[in-house]
């Protein structure tokens, strides 16, 4: 006699129910992981697109963790994480969100770790640009998640290991042969992978043709670009110990000066030497005993509008606190306002251009677009710095080494001097909607807002005309392309085609000294001046 037990009842019931046949239940497949950028991207919006165009979405929790049922998705998958209150990942006409991408080739039964962070975005960017996408966001927003050849995946991972592998190992990450920041479990807790993320600045670049966000840009604590090729004669990989030391120094400094600037001030990767921005060496102007840190967030090609909208200003804000100084040194790229320029014209007007005040000091901008006034764009930084208790001041741009006809000054047979190049005149075909003087607009803005002003343009014009005989030792004119091989293929910055805007090391140091001189001469900046050599 067989006795029925309570434990056997469910089996019998299931057997009876399945007498007519049972369909097999497919296994559950889940995506789960962490969205982080040196700490969690709390409440991030997660969007997943598969190879058939199916989209699923969810939100991360306050620790950046998320989970999503992926049972109906067909790999490969592309995952986009964006900050909770802003999902603009592509355009530069309004502030871009913090956006990051991860790409996943396969799905297994059960849990599939799929993190999204600056390193996964860097990988996606490497794959995207190899496949001729503008950047990772365009790659992620295709109708179906792209198939990536194994060779392209392998090359991207090799580049990531070259650039970040030593830093990851230093932070305790075990770099197995199959290491991938997408699939390696992590937490947004400041350790392991997240320790590396903590010393990075991350955003996307600017596509000249469309004006959209382009490839991923990662820099270290001192805003040195982490960009391949890596090697002894090329660029430096991330040096974790140095980056942590520099971050600690920024956090501990009693006096900090933040540079909102463009290519004339920016920090460059080793491959582009001898090109150097004055901000890259400005800290050397301060006494060795002074507790001063210069935070040089300047970025090549940026205008007053785009430096803010593209996320470059936001990168510095995690360090900004009351009593800090913010120097606003923009103007070169705000002049990109010729809508009839065959290449870049329309995109630059939409994304970079801002219009100077008229001769009477009145703002100029298209109807219902006050953000396109140069003065209004500058005031965004002034107002934000003051709201945070910081001390803003303005500078006019460095001069270009050009004469009144926009030709190289002081050349043989033409002794006409360097003059201001920050005025626009009406284009013959009407390409400029408004014209005026950008340097004067900076002066107008300083006066209207009661902020200190350093007229760096006037100082650099005087400097340029005093160095007619040796100006090529200061501006970017490379003669030795064996020592500096990058310039062997460049169309500017050589003896045959001098770069009259940017500097080499001697020029960068000279410009930094002029900025220091301007601080000493400005009454409202004497508290900062006391720390200068």
């Amino acid at each position: 006699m067989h006795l029925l037990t309570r434990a056997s009842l469910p089996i019998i019931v299931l057997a009876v129910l399945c007498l007519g046949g049972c369909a097999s239940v497919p296994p559950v497949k889940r995506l789960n992981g962490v969205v982080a950028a040196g700490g969690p991207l709390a409440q991030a919006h997660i969007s997943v697109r598969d190879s058939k165009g199916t989209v699923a979405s969810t939100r991360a929790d306050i620790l950046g963790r998320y989970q999503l049922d992926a049972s109906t998705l067909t790999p490969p998958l592309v995952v986009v994480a964006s900050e909770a209150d802003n999902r603009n990942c592509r355009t530069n006409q309004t502030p871009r969100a913090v956006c990051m991408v991860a790409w996943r080739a396969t799905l297994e039964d059960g849990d599939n770790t799929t993190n999204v962070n600056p390193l996964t975005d860097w990988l996606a960017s490497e794959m995207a640009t190899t496949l001729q996408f503008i950047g990772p966001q365009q790659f992620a927003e295709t109708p179906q998640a792209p198939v990536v050849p194994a060779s392209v995946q392998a090359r991207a991972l090799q580049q990531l290991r070259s650039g970040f592998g030593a830093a990851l190992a230093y932070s305790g990450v075990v770099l197995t042969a199959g290491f991938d920041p997408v699939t390696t479990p992590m937490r947004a807790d400041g350790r392991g992978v997240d320790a590396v993320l903590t010393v990075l600045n991350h955003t996307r670049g600017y596509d000249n043709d469309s004006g959209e966000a382009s490839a991923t840009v990662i820099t270290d604590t001192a805003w040195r670009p982490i960009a391949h090729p890596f090697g002894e004669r090329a660029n430096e990989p991330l040096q974790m110990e140095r980056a942590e030391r520099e971050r600690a120094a920024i956090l501990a400094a009693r006096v900090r000066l933040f540079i909102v600037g463009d290519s004339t001030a920016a920090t460059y990767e080793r491959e582009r030497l001898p090109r150097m921005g004055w901000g890259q060496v400005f800290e050397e102007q301060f006494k060795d005993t002074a507790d001063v840190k210069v935070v040089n967030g300047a970025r090549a090609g940026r205008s007053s509008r785009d430096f803010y909208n593209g996320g470059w200003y936001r990168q510095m804000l995690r360090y900004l606190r009351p009593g800090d100084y913010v120097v606003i040194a923009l103007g070169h790229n705000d002049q990109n306002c010729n809508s009839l320029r065959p290449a870049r014209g329309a995109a630059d007007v939409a994304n970079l251009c801002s219009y100077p005040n008229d001769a009477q000091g009145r703002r100029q901008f298209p109807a219902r677009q006050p953000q396109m006034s140069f003065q209004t764009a500058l005031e965004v930084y002034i107002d934000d710095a003051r709201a945070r208790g910081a001390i803003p001041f303005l500078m006019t741009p460095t001069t270009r080494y050009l004469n009144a006809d926009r030709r190289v000054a002081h050349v043989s047979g033409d002794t006409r001097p360097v003059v201001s190049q920050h005025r626009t005149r009406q284009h013959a075909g009407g390409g400029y909607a408004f014209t005026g003087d950008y340097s004067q607009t900076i002066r107008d803005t300083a006066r209207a807002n009661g902020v200190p002003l350093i007229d760096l343009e006037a100082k650099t014009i005087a400097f340029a005309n005093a160095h007619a005989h040796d100006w090529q030792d200061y501006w970017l004119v490379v003669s030795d392309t064996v020592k500096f091989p990058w310039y062997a293929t460049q169309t500017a910055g050589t003896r045959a085609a001098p770069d009259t805007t940017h500097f080499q090391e001697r020029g960068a140091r000279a410009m930094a000294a002029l900025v220091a001189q301007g601080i000493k001469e400005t009454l409202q900046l004497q508290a900062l001046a006391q720390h200068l050599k």
Side-chain angles (χ1 to χ4, degrees):
M1 182 176 178
H2 298 284
L3 298 176
L4 292 175
T5 66
R6 184 175 298 177
S8 65
L9 286 175
I11 299 173
I12 295 173
V13 171
L14 183 61
V16 171
L17 291 175
C18 287
L19 288 175
C22 282
S24 61
V25 179
V28 174
K29 298 177 181 180
R30 290 180 297 273
L31 288 187
N32 53 17
V34 173
V35 183
L41 190 60
Q43 305 291 332
H45 181 270
I46 314 293
S47 177
V48 183
R49 188 185 306 269
D50 76 355
S51 61
K52 296 182 178 180
T54 304
V55 176
S57 62
T58 188
R59 280 195 178 273
D61 65 16
I62 60 172
L63 298 178
R65 302 172 304 191
Y66 79 94
Q67 182 169 290
L68 182 144
D69 187 345
S71 302
T72 61
L73 301 179
T74 305
L77 309 177
V78 65
V79 183
V80 178
S82 56
E83 60 186 302
D85 57 352
N86 183 0
R87 291 168 63 184
N88 170 29
C89 295
R90 286 177 69 158
T91 74
N92 288 285
Q93 296 172 37
T94 59
R96 286 208 313 255
V98 174
C99 298
M100 299 174 292
V101 168
W103 183 87
R104 185 181 182 92
T106 61
L107 270 180
E108 308 297 334
D109 295 344
D111 292 332
N112 292 264
T113 299
T114 309
N115 302 312
V116 191
N117 58 53
L119 296 182
T120 73
D121 197 63
W122 198 85
L123 275 178
S125 182
E126 288 292 301
M127 294 187 288
T129 53
T130 300
L131 297 176
Q132 305 301 307
F133 289 92
I134 292 172
Q137 200 62 38
Q138 293 80 1
F139 171 85
E141 294 181 10
T142 53
Q144 293 87 31
V147 174
V148 179
S151 61
V152 174
Q153 299 174 46
R155 183 177 182 276
L157 280 166
Q158 185 276 323
Q159 293 288 359
L160 182 127
R161 184 182 289 267
S162 296
F164 302 94
L168 288 161
Y170 175 88
S171 301
V173 178
V174 178
L175 295 177
T176 62
F179 171 80
D180 185 335
V182 176
T183 59
T184 300
M186 66 164 288
R187 295 180 181 178
D189 59 1
R191 295 181 293 180
V193 172
D194 198 52
V196 174
L197 303 181
T198 300
V199 302
L200 300 181
N201 303 302
H202 162 271
T203 187
R204 272 80 172 268
Y206 174 83
D207 178 60
N208 290 333
D209 295 327
S210 67
E212 290 190 359
S214 61
T216 300
V217 178
I218 290 182
T219 58
D220 70 5
T221 311
W223 273 261
R224 300 179 192 90
I226 311 299
H228 64 77
F230 300 105
E232 289 185 6
R233 298 197 63 184
N235 298 326
E236 295 180 318
L238 176 63
Q239 297 186 31
M240 189 66 187
E241 188 174 9
R242 179 179 67 182
E244 287 186 326
R245 186 171 63 250
E246 290 171 339
R247 181 173 182 271
I250 292 172
L251 293 172
R254 288 190 303 109
V255 179
R256 285 101 62 85
L257 185 144
F258 294 75
I259 300 175
V260 174
D262 54 32
S263 57
T264 59
T267 296
Y268 290 97
E269 58 268 51
R270 191 166 60 186
E271 183 186 27
R272 295 200 183 198
L273 286 173
R275 180 166 169 167
M276 189 175 287
W278 64 262
Q280 194 167 347
V281 292
F282 186 55
E283 193 171 304
E284 297 172 13
Q285 293 294 318
F286 293 91
K287 298 172 185 175
D288 293 338
T289 55
D291 188 9
V292 176
K293 287 300 296 181
V294 172
V295 180
N296 183 27
R299 177 69 186 178
R302 308 286 51 88
S303 71
S304 58
R305 287 172 56 211
D306 182 65
F307 191 88
Y308 187 84
N309 289 342
W312 307 101
Y313 179 65
R314 181 182 59 221
Q315 290 181 343
M316 295 188 286
L317 293 182
R318 58 177 163 165
Y319 298 120
L320 191 64
R321 66 189 181 203
D324 289 340
Y325 293 87
V326 178
V327 54
I328 304 152
L330 294 164
H332 279 290
N333 300 301
D334 285 82
Q335 294 181 253
N336 290 350
C337 294
N338 183 355
S339 62
L340 297 185
R341 184 180 175 189
R344 294 187 57 165
D348 280 357
V349 169
N351 297 283
L352 299 185
C353 160
S354 72
Y355 294 107
N357 292 350
D358 66 16
Q360 289 72 44
R362 296 173 299 205
R363 302 177 202 230
Q364 301 183 105
F365 52 86
R368 296 180 295 282
Q369 296 186 66
Q371 76 280 2
M372 293 191 72
S373 153
F374 185 35
Q375 177 168 337
T376 299
L378 292 172
E379 288 172 344
V380 168
Y381 303 100
I382 294 171
D383 294 344
D384 185 86
R386 283 176 164 168
R388 297 173 189 274
I391 303 161
F393 64 99
L394 288 166
M395 291 202 308
T396 52
T398 55
T399 191
R400 296 181 173 95
Y401 201 88
L402 299 173
N403 63 28
D405 287 339
R406 294 188 63 81
R407 297 181 182 277
V408 178
H410 299 296
V411 296
S412 177
D414 186 349
T415 59
R416 287 177 298 171
V418 171
V419 298
S420 173
Q421 300 297 321
H422 296 106
R423 301 184 182 93
T424 54
R425 302 179 179 88
Q426 186 62 38
H427 187 271
Y432 292 92
F434 303 97
T435 60
D437 188 327
Y438 285 83
S439 293
Q440 184 56 48
T441 302
I442 295 171
R443 299 182 192 103
D444 295 343
T445 305
R447 184 174 55 254
N449 290 274
V451 299
L453 170 73
I454 296 174
D455 196 346
L456 188 59
E457 182 186 51
K459 289 181 177 296
T460 56
I461 287 173
F463 178 90
N465 286 319
H467 286 271
H469 62 292
D470 64 348
W471 72 274
Q472 293 190 358
D473 293 336
Y474 295 90
W475 274 262
L476 184 59
V477 185
V478 176
S479 56
D480 188 347
T481 55
V482 174
K483 182 178 180 181
F484 302 113
W486 196 77
Y487 292 90
T489 59
Q490 299 306 301
T491 58
T494 64
R495 290 285 179 186
D499 183 333
T500 57
T501 299
H502 303 105
F503 309 106
Q504 53 188 297
E505 183 175 354
R506 191 174 178 184
R509 296 186 187 282
M511 298 305 115
L514 292 176
V515 175
Q517 181 187 72
I519 291 172
K520 292 176 182 177
E521 294 169 350
T522 304
L523 183 62
Q524 302 113 303
L525 297 176
Q526 289 311 294
L528 178 61
Q530 68 178 333
H531 300 290
L532 290 163
K533 292 177 180 176

